[in-house]
Amino acid sequence: MKVKKFRGESINDAVAQMKNEFGSEAVILHTKKVKEGGFLGFFGTKLYEVIGAVDPNVNQPVSPILTRNETSKNQAQTLISDRTHWNTAIQELYRQLKMQEIPHTLALEIVKSVLSKISKEYWNDSVVLQNQLRMVISSYILVEPPWELTDEPKVAVMVGPTGVGKTTTIAKLAANYHLIANKRVGLVTMDTYRIAAVDQLRTYADIINVPLRVAYTVDELEAAIQSLQDMQLILIDTSGRSHLNLMQMSELQAALKKINAETY
């Protein structure tokens, strides 16, 4: 990943510099106002700073050591059935998954998938196993293609446990769609429980220059979305909810049933 700071007299100027150097695949990681020059923090020139990133290796070919033949799959199935023959590298792979609180059955499925995709001669190579593990894990992650926005507002809700990055993801999406794609974007937050959560998103909204609405109830959520009907994209932030807490999930589900939105 290549990361660089760009500064300009406006956000759009800094973003333009980023696109010129990194290309259309670049994404905005962070934006802020800064001062340049001056004396002891005074009289400096006010500028806007954008931290952009691009992955130059996104289209690199897969390593030739990988294989998908039936022999490797059958050998992997046999090995998974008899864990007493696991070597140290495979045991460490399984332990790593368990430390991340991945259930036993799923951990075995992942290990089997890793082994079935590489030649048996590399099953004792920790580096090869780790690289293949990343590829297998990435296959579990569903990636939404870029949204094609129209004048009909698209409403997207971000849900998940506290601390997984819902608010930051919304800020990045808003920045890219508004500043780079020049789309009309509005934000709504339902995260009124976490301390300073509203202020955090409001700061992002002010920097990106997009409207923000706060909803404390389901009725206020519907009203907030209605007030942003001239937007092309409406992003909704929610309070952290564990998927294991059935009561919280039921409350959230009931609230989202009232609106026409896609849930991520």
Side-chain angles (χ1 to χ4, degrees):
M1 182 73 72
K2 186 176 181 181
V3 180
K4 185 176 179 180
K5 294 179 180 178
F6 300 89
R7 290 184 175 182
E9 295 181 355
S10 67
I11 285 285
N12 289 336
D13 181 30
V15 170
Q17 295 179 44
M18 180 191 73
K19 292 175 66 177
N20 287 337
E21 182 166 337
F22 283 174
S24 60
E25 298 297 322
V27 296
I28 296 174
L29 299 181
H30 186 63
T31 63
K32 67 177 181 179
K33 293 180 182 179
V34 296
K35 279 190 177 182
E36 190 173 76
F39 178 71
L40 298 178
F42 298 98
F43 313 113
T45 303
K46 292 183 178 179
L47 298 174
Y48 290 86
E49 180 179 279
V50 170
I51 300 178
V54 67
D55 186 356
N57 301 317
V58 68
N59 293 318
Q60 278 194 348
V62 176
S63 170
I65 66 172
L66 303 183
T67 177
R68 296 179 181 273
N69 60 52
E70 289 301 320
T71 301
S72 290
K73 290 182 180 179
N74 294 335
Q75 290 173 335
Q77 179 62 56
T78 301
L79 190 67
I80 291 299
S81 302
D82 185 6
R83 293 171 57 189
T84 60
H85 291 88
W86 286 14
N87 61 41
T88 303
I90 297 174
Q91 290 176 9
E92 175 59 26
L93 198 70
Y94 174 80
R95 188 188 69 82
Q96 180 182 353
L97 294 170
K98 291 297 293 178
M99 285 184 64
Q100 298 299 322
E101 300 184 0
I102 294 178
H104 168 72
T105 303
L106 179 56
L108 288 181
E109 179 184 319
I110 293 173
V111 172
K112 175 186 172 183
S113 183
V114 168
L115 299 178
S116 68
K117 289 177 169 57
I118 59 178
S119 300
K120 188 177 180 180
E121 61 186 291
Y122 293 100
W123 284 6
N124 200 34
D125 190 322
S126 296
V127 174
V128 173
L129 292 180
Q130 289 295 324
N131 288 337
Q132 186 59 36
L133 175 63
R134 294 186 182 93
M135 297 181 66
V136 170
I137 293 296
S138 69
S139 70
Y140 284 85
I141 302 172
L142 301 180
V143 180
E144 181 80 358
W147 294 328
E148 296 293 336
L149 303 181
T150 64
D151 287 334
E152 182 73 21
K154 179 185 186 69
V155 184
V157 183
M158 303 295 160
V159 302
T162 300
V164 296
K166 297 184 297 295
T167 304
T168 304
T169 297
I170 284 176
K172 291 177 181 179
L173 288 170
N176 278 280
Y177 273 98
H178 182 61
L179 300 176
I180 296 180
N182 296 316
K183 301 299 183 180
R184 301 187 302 278
V185 179
L187 307 181
V188 178
T189 180
M190 298 170 62
D191 189 0
T192 55
Y193 295 95
R194 187 165 54 91
I195 296 175
V198 174
D199 291 337
Q200 179 187 8
L201 193 57
R202 192 183 305 280
T203 299
Y204 286 138
D206 290 342
I207 292 174
I208 303 168
N209 193 27
V210 296
L212 171 67
R213 304 287 186 268
V214 181
Y216 291 89
T217 66
V218 175
D219 289 340
E220 289 183 0
L221 175 61
E222 293 181 275
I225 294 175
Q226 186 60 40
S227 71
L228 296 171
Q229 284 301 296
D230 58 335
M231 299 291 111
Q232 293 171 284
L233 176 63
I234 302 173
L235 299 169
I236 302 177
D237 198 7
T238 61
S239 301
R241 293 288 184 266
S242 169
H243 64 285
L244 300 177
N245 190 318
L246 299 182
M247 180 177 293
Q248 289 183 345
M249 292 306 296
S250 295
E251 292 174 352
L252 182 60
Q253 188 176 35
L256 298 183
K257 277 184 178 180
K258 299 285 187 178
I259 61 176
N260 182 23
E262 294 180 2
T263 304
Y264 294 89

